[in-house]
Structure formats: structure tokens, C-alpha cells
Amino acid sequence: MQVFPDDDCFAIRQAARYVSQLYDRHLADVGLTITQFSILSRVNRGAPMTMKRLADQMVMERTTLVRAIQPLQRDGLLQSRSAATKGRELAFSLTEAGEAKLVAARVCWHAAQDDFERRFGAQRAASLRRELFDMTKA
């Protein structure tokens, strides 16, 4: 395989796929993907959370987010209702089953986090997180 050391986009996407696969392997034990875990975590922190706010926090297009939310609603982990501010806007919150699933998933997520930091180094991981969060700040 030929490596292009100046291809930032490819390097970032390759690393993202690698890390996502690592976390997804751990979260498979509770039947969630890393995207689903992130949605449940964000909603739990800011419930009720509107679609717009959730999409902004996840840095996702709303249509992509809708597709990710549907299985969570179908499985009874996430519920929606009209937002208090705007009647047509939906606000999401966790159900009791969603809260229980999130508690179980956090154990798997912490195992994935430990796995990643063991492979990459805790200090390097902390530095990388700071850089990546800085990149997505508006």
C-alpha cells in the first residue's frame, strides 16, 4: 500500500475508522454502535434535547441523525415529544430502558477507552482529543 503522508483527510478518516471499530467491538456486548452510544450520552446530558441541538453537538446532518435515532426509538431507548419552545420541533429524552442501556454501555465504553489509551498512550490520547475538539469548534 502506498502511503501519502500529506493526505490529511485520508489519515484522519483512516484513524477514525480504526477507533470506531475498536469502540464498536466493545459496545457490541450491549448491542449499541458508537454512534448510538454517543446519541444516548448526549441526550442524557441535555434532556430534553431538540433535533437541531443534538445534530449540532454530534456535528451530523439531521437526515443522518434521524436514521441513527430510529432504531433507538424502535427499541424503546429514546422517546420524543414536541419541544416546549416550538410545537413542530421534537425534543428527545431517554426512557427507563435507555437509561439502563446507557449504564451498561458505559462499562463497555470505558473498556474501549482503556484499550485505546493502552495502545496509543494516555498522554497522546489526551493531546489528540484536545486537538480534535479544537478542530470542530465553530
Side-chain angles (χ1 to χ4, degrees), residues 42-123:
R42 298 294 178 291
V43 168
N44 187 55
R45 283 188 222 144
M49 184 171 289
T50 64
M51 178 70 77
K52 180 184 179 342
R53 186 168 159 224
L54 184 56
D56 289 346
Q57 285 190 10
M58 299 282 298
V59 190
M60 292 177 76
E61 295 292 326
R62 286 192 207 186
T63 55
T64 303
L65 183 57
V66 166
R67 285 191 299 274
I69 284 174
Q70 287 171 341
L72 296 172
Q73 288 181 298
R74 178 198 66 220
D75 295 344
L77 305 177
L78 202 59
Q79 60 190 359
S80 63
R81 65 179 189 284
S82 293
T85 55
K86 297 177 183 173
R88 292 183 57 202
E89 190 170 44
L90 292 179
F92 295 95
S93 58
L94 298 184
T95 63
E96 283 187 36
E99 290 173 9
K101 179 72 83 167
L102 184 57
V103 168
R106 280 191 183 124
V107 173
C108 298
W109 182 89
H110 284 292
Q113 186 85 350
D114 291 344
D115 191 0
F116 176 75
E117 290 185 0
R118 195 172 40 258
R119 294 173 190 219
F120 194 66
Q123 288 181 331

Coordinates of all heavy atoms in Angstrom, one line a residue, residues 42-123:
R42 N -25.4 12.1 24.8 CA -25.6 13.5 24.6 C -27.1 13.8 25.1 O -27.3 14.8 25.7 CB -25.5 13.9 23.1 CG -24.1 13.7 22.5 CD -23.1 14.7 23.2 NE -21.7 14.6 22.7 CZ -20.9 13.5 22.9 NH1 -21.3 12.5 23.5 NH2 -19.7 13.6 22.4
V43 N -28.0 13.0 24.7 CA -29.4 13.2 25.1 C -29.5 13.2 26.7 O -30.2 14.0 27.3 CB -30.4 12.2 24.5 CG1 -31.7 12.3 25.1 CG2 -30.5 12.5 23.0
N44 N -28.8 12.2 27.3 CA -28.8 12.1 28.7 C -28.3 13.3 29.4 O -28.8 13.8 30.4 CB -28.0 10.9 29.2 CG -28.2 10.6 30.6 OD1 -29.3 10.4 31.2 ND2 -27.0 10.5 31.3
R45 N -27.3 14.0 28.9 CA -26.7 15.2 29.4 C -27.5 16.4 29.3 O -27.5 17.3 30.1 CB -25.3 15.4 28.8 CG -24.2 14.5 29.3 CD -22.9 15.0 28.8 NE -22.2 13.8 28.4 CZ -21.3 13.7 27.4 NH1 -21.1 14.7 26.7 NH2 -20.7 12.6 27.2
G46 N -28.3 16.4 28.2 CA -29.0 17.7 27.9 C -30.5 17.5 27.7 O -31.2 18.3 27.0
A47 N -31.1 16.4 28.3 CA -32.5 16.1 28.1 C -33.4 17.2 28.7 O -33.1 17.7 29.7 CB -32.8 14.7 28.6
P48 N -34.5 17.5 28.1 CA -34.8 17.0 26.7 C -34.0 17.8 25.7 O -33.6 19.0 25.9 CB -36.3 17.4 26.5 CG -36.6 18.5 27.5 CD -35.6 18.3 28.6
M49 N -33.6 17.2 24.6 CA -32.7 17.7 23.6 C -33.4 17.8 22.3 O -33.9 16.7 21.8 CB -31.4 17.0 23.5 CG -30.4 17.6 22.6 SD -28.8 16.9 22.6 CE -28.2 17.4 24.2
T50 N -33.4 18.9 21.6 CA -34.0 19.0 20.3 C -33.1 18.4 19.2 O -31.9 18.2 19.4 CB -34.3 20.5 19.9 OG1 -33.0 21.2 19.8 CG2 -35.1 21.2 20.9
M51 N -33.8 18.1 18.1 CA -33.0 17.5 17.0 C -31.9 18.5 16.5 O -30.8 18.0 16.3 CB -34.0 17.3 15.8 CG -33.3 16.7 14.6 SD -32.8 15.0 14.8 CE -34.3 14.1 14.7
K52 N -32.2 19.8 16.4 CA -31.2 20.7 16.0 C -30.0 20.8 16.9 O -28.9 20.7 16.5 CB -31.8 22.1 15.9 CG -30.8 23.2 15.4 CD -31.3 24.5 15.4 CE -30.3 25.6 14.9 NZ -29.0 25.3 14.9
R53 N -30.3 20.8 18.2 CA -29.2 20.9 19.2 C -28.4 19.6 19.2 O -27.1 19.6 19.2 CB -29.8 21.1 20.6 CG -28.7 21.3 21.6 CD -29.3 21.9 22.9 NE -28.5 21.6 24.0 CZ -28.8 21.2 25.2 NH1 -30.1 20.9 25.5 NH2 -28.0 20.9 26.2
L54 N -29.0 18.5 19.1 CA -28.3 17.2 19.0 C -27.5 17.1 17.7 O -26.3 16.7 17.8 CB -29.3 16.0 19.1 CG -28.8 14.6 19.2 CD1 -27.8 14.5 20.3 CD2 -29.9 13.6 19.3
A55 N -28.0 17.5 16.6 CA -27.3 17.4 15.4 C -26.1 18.4 15.4 O -25.0 18.0 15.0 CB -28.2 17.9 14.2
D56 N -26.2 19.5 16.0 CA -25.1 20.4 16.2 C -24.0 19.8 17.1 O -22.8 19.9 16.8 CB -25.6 21.8 16.8 CG -26.4 22.6 15.8 OD1 -26.4 22.3 14.6 OD2 -27.0 23.6 16.3
Q57 N -24.4 19.2 18.2 CA -23.4 18.6 19.1 C -22.7 17.4 18.5 O -21.6 17.2 18.7 CB -24.1 18.2 20.4 CG -24.4 19.4 21.3 CD -24.8 19.0 22.7 OE1 -24.8 17.8 23.1 NE2 -25.3 19.9 23.5
M58 N -23.5 16.7 17.7 CA -22.9 15.5 17.1 C -22.2 15.8 15.8 O -21.5 15.0 15.2 CB -24.0 14.5 16.8 CG -24.8 14.0 18.0 SD -23.9 12.7 18.9 CE -23.7 11.4 17.7
V59 N -22.3 17.1 15.3 CA -21.7 17.5 14.0 C -22.2 16.5 12.9 O -21.4 15.9 12.2 CB -20.2 17.6 14.1 CG1 -19.7 18.3 12.8 CG2 -19.7 18.4 15.3
M60 N -23.5 16.4 12.9 CA -24.2 15.5 11.9 C -25.3 16.2 11.2 O -25.9 17.1 11.7 CB -24.8 14.3 12.6 CG -23.8 13.3 13.2 SD -24.7 12.0 14.2 CE -25.3 11.0 12.8
E61 N -25.5 15.8 9.9 CA -26.7 16.3 9.2 C -27.9 15.7 9.8 O -27.9 14.6 10.4 CB -26.6 15.8 7.7 CG -25.4 16.4 7.0 CD -25.6 17.9 6.7 OE1 -26.7 18.3 6.5 OE2 -24.5 18.5 6.7
R62 N -29.0 16.4 9.8 CA -30.2 16.0 10.5 C -30.8 14.7 9.9 O -31.2 13.8 10.6 CB -31.3 17.1 10.5 CG -31.0 18.2 11.4 CD -32.2 19.1 11.6 NE -31.8 20.4 11.9 CZ -32.6 21.4 12.2 NH1 -33.9 21.2 12.2 NH2 -32.1 22.6 12.6
T63 N -30.7 14.6 8.6 CA -31.2 13.3 8.0 C -30.4 12.1 8.4 O -31.0 11.1 8.6 CB -31.2 13.4 6.4 OG1 -29.9 13.8 6.0 CG2 -32.2 14.5 5.9
T64 N -29.1 12.3 8.6 CA -28.3 11.2 9.0 C -28.6 10.8 10.5 O -28.7 9.7 10.9 CB -26.8 11.5 8.9 OG1 -26.5 11.8 7.5 CG2 -25.9 10.4 9.4
L65 N -28.8 11.9 11.3 CA -29.2 11.7 12.7 C -30.5 11.0 12.8 O -30.7 10.1 13.7 CB -29.2 13.1 13.4 CG -29.5 13.0 14.9 CD1 -28.5 12.2 15.6 CD2 -29.4 14.5 15.4
V66 N -31.5 11.4 12.0 CA -32.8 10.7 12.0 C -32.7 9.2 11.8 O -33.2 8.4 12.6 CB -33.8 11.3 11.0 CG1 -35.0 10.5 10.8 CG2 -34.2 12.7 11.4
R67 N -31.8 8.8 10.8 CA -31.6 7.4 10.6 C -31.0 6.7 11.8 O -31.2 5.5 12.0 CB -30.8 7.2 9.3 CG -31.6 7.4 8.0 CD -30.8 7.0 6.8 NE -29.6 7.7 6.6 CZ -29.4 8.8 6.0 NH1 -30.5 9.4 5.5 NH2 -28.2 9.4 5.8
A68 N -30.1 7.4 12.5 CA -29.4 6.8 13.6 C -30.4 6.7 14.9 O -30.2 5.8 15.7 CB -28.2 7.6 14.0
I69 N -31.3 7.7 14.9 CA -32.2 7.7 16.1 C -33.3 6.7 16.0 O -33.8 6.1 17.0 CB -32.8 9.1 16.2 CG1 -31.8 10.1 16.8 CG2 -34.1 9.1 17.1 CD1 -32.2 11.5 16.9
Q70 N -33.8 6.4 14.7 CA -34.9 5.5 14.5 C -34.8 4.1 15.3 O -35.7 3.7 15.9 CB -35.2 5.3 13.1 CG -35.8 6.5 12.4 CD -35.9 6.5 10.9 OE1 -35.2 5.7 10.3 NE2 -36.7 7.3 10.4
P71 N -33.6 3.4 15.2 CA -33.5 2.2 15.9 C -33.6 2.3 17.4 O -34.1 1.5 18.1 CB -32.2 1.6 15.5 CG -31.7 2.4 14.4 CD -32.5 3.7 14.3
L72 N -33.1 3.5 17.9 CA -33.1 3.7 19.4 C -34.6 3.9 19.8 O -35.0 3.5 20.9 CB -32.3 5.0 19.7 CG -30.8 4.8 19.4 CD1 -30.1 6.1 19.6 CD2 -30.2 3.7 20.3
Q73 N -35.4 4.6 19.0 CA -36.8 4.8 19.3 C -37.5 3.4 19.2 O -38.3 3.1 20.0 CB -37.4 5.8 18.4 CG -37.0 7.2 18.7 CD -37.6 8.2 17.8 OE1 -37.5 8.2 16.6 NE2 -38.4 9.2 18.4
R74 N -37.2 2.7 18.1 CA -37.9 1.4 17.9 C -37.6 0.5 19.0 O -38.5 -0.3 19.5 CB -37.4 0.8 16.6 CG -37.9 -0.6 16.2 CD -37.1 -1.3 15.2 NE -35.8 -1.6 15.8 CZ -34.6 -1.5 15.1 NH1 -34.6 -1.1 13.9 NH2 -33.5 -1.8 15.7
D75 N -36.4 0.5 19.6 CA -36.0 -0.4 20.7 C -36.4 0.1 22.0 O -36.1 -0.5 23.1 CB -34.5 -0.7 20.6 CG -34.1 -1.4 19.4 OD1 -35.0 -2.0 18.7 OD2 -32.9 -1.4 19.1
G76 N -37.1 1.3 22.1 CA -37.7 1.8 23.3 C -36.6 2.5 24.2 O -36.8 2.6 25.4
L77 N -35.5 2.9 23.6 CA -34.4 3.5 24.4 C -34.5 5.1 24.4 O -34.0 5.7 25.3 CB -33.1 3.1 23.8 CG -32.8 1.6 23.7 CD1 -31.5 1.3 23.1 CD2 -32.9 1.0 25.1
L78 N -35.2 5.6 23.4 CA -35.3 7.0 23.2 C -36.7 7.4 22.9 O -37.4 6.7 22.2 CB -34.4 7.4 22.1 CG -33.9 8.8 21.9 CD1 -33.1 9.3 23.1 CD2 -33.0 9.0 20.7
Q79 N -37.2 8.5 23.5 CA -38.6 8.9 23.2 C -38.5 10.4 22.8 O -37.6 11.1 23.1 CB -39.5 8.8 24.5 CG -39.0 9.6 25.7 CD -39.8 9.2 26.9 OE1 -40.7 8.3 26.9 NE2 -39.4 9.8 28.0
S80 N -39.6 10.7 22.0 CA -39.6 12.1 21.5 C -41.0 12.7 21.8 O -42.0 12.0 22.0 CB -39.4 12.2 20.0 OG -40.4 11.5 19.3
R81 N -41.0 14.0 22.0 CA -42.3 14.7 22.1 C -42.1 16.1 21.6 O -40.9 16.5 21.3 CB -42.7 14.8 23.6 CG -41.8 15.5 24.5 CD -42.4 15.5 26.0 NE -41.6 16.4 26.8 CZ -40.5 16.1 27.3 NH1 -39.8 15.0 27.1 NH2 -39.9 17.0 28.1
S82 N -43.1 16.9 21.4 CA -43.0 18.2 20.9 C -42.2 19.1 21.9 O -42.4 19.0 23.1 CB -44.4 18.9 20.7 OG -45.1 18.2 19.7
A83 N -41.3 19.8 21.4 CA -40.4 20.7 22.2 C -41.3 21.8 22.8 O -42.3 22.3 22.2 CB -39.3 21.3 21.4
A84 N -40.9 22.2 24.0 CA -41.7 23.2 24.7 C -41.6 24.6 24.0 O -42.6 25.4 24.0 CB -41.2 23.4 26.1
T85 N -40.5 24.8 23.3 CA -40.3 26.1 22.6 C -41.1 26.2 21.3 O -41.6 27.2 20.9 CB -38.8 26.4 22.4 OG1 -38.3 25.3 21.7 CG2 -38.1 26.6 23.7
K86 N -41.1 25.1 20.5 CA -41.7 25.1 19.2 C -42.5 23.9 19.0 O -41.9 22.8 19.2 CB -40.6 25.2 18.1 CG -39.8 26.5 18.1 CD -38.7 26.5 17.1 CE -37.8 27.7 17.2 NZ -36.7 27.6 16.3
G87 N -43.7 24.0 18.7 CA -44.6 22.8 18.6 C -44.2 21.8 17.6 O -44.5 20.6 17.8
R88 N -43.6 22.2 16.5 CA -43.2 21.3 15.4 C -41.9 20.6 15.7 O -41.5 19.7 15.0 CB -43.2 22.0 14.1 CG -44.6 22.4 13.7 CD -44.7 23.0 12.3 NE -44.1 22.2 11.3 CZ -43.6 22.5 10.1 NH1 -43.7 23.8 9.8 NH2 -43.2 21.7 9.3
E89 N -41.1 21.2 16.6 CA -39.8 20.7 16.8 C -39.8 19.5 17.9 O -40.6 19.7 18.9 CB -38.8 21.8 17.3 CG -37.4 21.4 17.4 CD -36.5 22.6 17.6 OE1 -36.8 23.4 18.5 OE2 -35.5 22.7 17.0
L90 N -39.1 18.5 17.7 CA -39.1 17.3 18.6 C -38.0 17.5 19.6 O -36.9 18.0 19.3 CB -38.9 16.0 17.8 CG -40.0 15.6 16.9 CD1 -39.6 14.3 16.2 CD2 -41.3 15.4 17.7
A91 N -38.3 17.1 20.8 CA -37.3 17.0 21.9 C -37.2 15.5 22.3 O -38.2 14.8 22.5 CB -37.8 17.8 23.1
F92 N -35.9 15.1 22.5 CA -35.7 13.7 22.8 C -35.2 13.6 24.3 O -34.6 14.4 24.8 CB -34.6 13.1 21.9 CG -35.0 13.1 20.5 CD1 -34.6 14.1 19.6 CD2 -35.7 12.0 20.0 CE1 -35.0 14.1 18.3 CE2 -36.1 12.0 18.7 CZ -35.8 13.0 17.8
S93 N -35.6 12.4 24.9 CA -35.1 12.1 26.2 C -35.0 10.5 26.2 O -35.6 9.8 25.4 CB -36.1 12.6 27.3 OG -37.4 12.1 27.1
L94 N -34.3 10.1 27.2 CA -34.1 8.6 27.4 C -35.3 8.1 28.1 O -35.9 8.7 29.0 CB -32.9 8.3 28.2 CG -31.5 8.7 27.7 CD1 -30.4 8.3 28.6 CD2 -31.3 8.2 26.3
T95 N -35.7 6.8 27.8 CA -36.7 6.1 28.5 C -35.9 5.4 29.7 O -34.7 5.5 29.8 CB -37.3 5.0 27.6 OG1 -36.3 4.1 27.2 CG2 -38.0 5.6 26.4
E96 N -36.7 4.7 30.5 CA -36.0 4.0 31.6 C -35.1 2.9 31.0 O -34.0 2.7 31.5 CB -37.0 3.3 32.5 CG -37.7 4.3 33.5 CD -38.6 3.6 34.5 OE1 -38.3 2.4 34.9 OE2 -39.6 4.2 34.8
A97 N -35.6 2.2 29.9 CA -34.7 1.2 29.3 C -33.5 1.9 28.7 O -32.4 1.3 28.7 CB -35.6 0.5 28.2
G98 N -33.6 3.1 28.1 CA -32.5 3.8 27.6 C -31.5 4.2 28.7 O -30.3 4.1 28.4
E99 N -31.9 4.6 29.8 CA -31.0 4.9 30.9 C -30.3 3.6 31.4 O -29.1 3.7 31.6 CB -31.8 5.5 32.1 CG -32.3 6.9 31.8 CD -33.2 7.4 32.9 OE1 -33.4 6.8 34.0 OE2 -33.8 8.5 32.7
A100 N -31.0 2.5 31.5 CA -30.4 1.2 31.9 C -29.3 0.8 30.8 O -28.2 0.3 31.1 CB -31.4 0.1 32.1
K101 N -29.7 0.9 29.5 CA -28.8 0.6 28.5 C -27.5 1.4 28.5 O -26.4 0.9 28.3 CB -29.5 0.7 27.1 CG -28.6 0.3 25.9 CD -28.4 -1.1 25.8 CE -29.5 -1.8 25.1 NZ -29.2 -3.2 24.7
L102 N -27.7 2.7 28.8 CA -26.6 3.6 28.8 C -25.6 3.3 30.0 O -24.4 3.3 29.8 CB -27.0 5.1 29.0 CG -26.0 6.1 28.9 CD1 -25.1 6.1 27.7 CD2 -26.6 7.5 29.0
V103 N -26.2 2.9 31.1 CA -25.4 2.5 32.3 C -24.5 1.3 31.9 O -23.3 1.2 32.1 CB -26.2 2.2 33.5 CG1 -25.5 1.5 34.6 CG2 -26.8 3.5 34.0
A104 N -25.2 0.3 31.3 CA -24.4 -0.9 30.8 C -23.4 -0.6 29.8 O -22.3 -1.1 29.8 CB -25.4 -2.0 30.3
A105 N -23.8 0.3 28.9 CA -22.8 0.6 27.8 C -21.6 1.4 28.2 O -20.5 1.3 27.7 CB -23.6 1.4 26.7
R106 N -21.8 2.2 29.3 CA -20.6 2.9 29.8 C -19.5 2.0 30.3 O -18.3 2.3 30.1 CB -21.1 3.8 31.0 CG -21.7 5.1 30.5 CD -21.9 6.1 31.7 NE -22.6 7.2 31.2 CZ -23.7 7.7 31.7 NH1 -24.3 7.1 32.8 NH2 -24.3 8.8 31.2
V107 N -19.8 0.8 30.8 CA -18.8 -0.1 31.2 C -18.0 -0.6 30.0 O -16.8 -0.6 30.0 CB -19.5 -1.4 31.9 CG1 -18.5 -2.5 32.1 CG2 -20.2 -0.9 33.2
C108 N -18.7 -0.8 28.9 CA -18.1 -1.2 27.6 C -17.3 -0.1 27.0 O -16.2 -0.2 26.5 CB -19.1 -1.7 26.6 SG -20.0 -3.2 27.1
W109 N -17.8 1.1 27.1 CA -17.2 2.3 26.6 C -15.9 2.6 27.4 O -14.8 2.8 26.8 CB -18.1 3.5 26.7 CG -17.4 4.8 26.1 CD1 -17.5 5.2 24.8 CD2 -16.7 5.7 26.8 NE1 -16.8 6.4 24.7 CE2 -16.3 6.7 25.9 CE3 -16.3 5.9 28.1 CZ2 -15.5 7.8 26.2 CZ3 -15.5 7.0 28.5 CH2 -15.1 7.9 27.5
H110 N -15.9 2.4 28.7 CA -14.7 2.6 29.5 C -13.6 1.5 29.1 O -12.4 1.8 29.1 CB -15.0 2.6 31.0 CG -15.6 3.9 31.5 ND1 -14.9 5.1 31.5 CD2 -16.9 4.1 31.9 CE1 -15.7 6.0 32.0 NE2 -16.9 5.5 32.2
A111 N -14.1 0.3 28.9 CA -13.1 -0.7 28.4 C -12.5 -0.4 27.1 O -11.3 -0.5 26.9 CB -13.9 -2.1 28.3
A112 N -13.3 0.2 26.2 CA -12.8 0.6 24.9 C -11.8 1.8 25.1 O -10.7 1.8 24.4 CB -13.9 1.0 24.0
Q113 N -12.2 2.7 25.9 CA -11.3 3.9 26.2 C -9.9 3.4 26.8 O -8.9 3.8 26.4 CB -12.0 4.8 27.2 CG -11.3 6.1 27.5 CD -11.6 7.2 26.5 OE1 -12.2 6.9 25.5 NE2 -11.2 8.3 26.8
D114 N -10.0 2.5 27.7 CA -8.8 1.9 28.3 C -7.9 1.2 27.2 O -6.7 1.3 27.2 CB -9.1 0.9 29.5 CG -9.7 1.6 30.7 OD1 -9.5 2.9 30.8 OD2 -10.3 0.9 31.5
D115 N -8.6 0.4 26.4 CA -8.0 -0.3 25.3 C -7.2 0.7 24.4 O -6.1 0.5 24.1 CB -9.0 -1.1 24.5 CG -8.4 -2.1 23.5 OD1 -7.2 -2.2 23.4 OD2 -9.2 -2.8 22.9
F116 N -7.9 1.7 24.0 CA -7.3 2.7 23.1 C -6.1 3.4 23.8 O -5.1 3.5 23.1 CB -8.4 3.8 22.7 CG -7.8 4.9 21.9 CD1 -7.4 4.7 20.5 CD2 -7.5 6.1 22.4 CE1 -6.9 5.7 19.7 CE2 -6.9 7.1 21.6 CZ -6.6 6.9 20.3
E117 N -6.3 3.8 25.0 CA -5.2 4.5 25.7 C -4.0 3.6 26.0 O -2.9 4.0 26.0 CB -5.7 5.2 27.0 CG -6.6 6.4 26.6 CD -7.1 7.2 27.8 OE1 -6.7 6.8 29.0 OE2 -7.8 8.1 27.6
R118 N -4.3 2.3 26.2 CA -3.2 1.4 26.3 C -2.4 1.2 25.0 O -1.2 1.1 25.0 CB -3.8 0.0 26.8 CG -2.8 -1.0 27.3 CD -3.4 -2.2 27.9 NE -4.5 -2.8 27.2 CZ -5.8 -2.7 27.5 NH1 -6.1 -1.9 28.6 NH2 -6.8 -3.2 26.8
R119 N -3.1 1.2 23.9 CA -2.4 1.1 22.6 C -1.7 2.4 22.2 O -0.7 2.4 21.6 CB -3.4 0.7 21.5 CG -4.0 -0.6 21.7 CD -5.2 -0.8 20.7 NE -5.9 -2.0 21.0 CZ -6.4 -2.8 20.0 NH1 -6.1 -2.6 18.8 NH2 -7.0 -3.9 20.4
F120 N -2.4 3.5 22.5 CA -1.9 4.8 21.9 C -1.1 5.7 23.0 O -0.4 6.5 22.6 CB -3.2 5.6 21.4 CG -2.8 6.8 20.6 CD1 -2.3 6.7 19.3 CD2 -3.1 8.1 21.0 CE1 -2.0 7.8 18.5 CE2 -2.8 9.2 20.2 CZ -2.3 9.0 19.0
G121 N -1.4 5.4 24.2 CA -0.8 6.2 25.3 C -1.8 7.2 25.8 O -2.4 7.9 25.1
A122 N -1.9 7.3 27.2 CA -2.9 8.2 27.8 C -2.6 9.6 27.5 O -3.5 10.4 27.2 CB -2.9 7.9 29.3
Q123 N -1.3 10.0 27.5 CA -1.0 11.4 27.3 C -1.2 11.8 25.8 O -1.7 12.9 25.5 CB 0.5 11.7 27.7 CG 0.6 11.8 29.2 CD 2.1 12.1 29.6 OE1 3.0 11.8 28.8 NE2 2.2 12.7 30.7

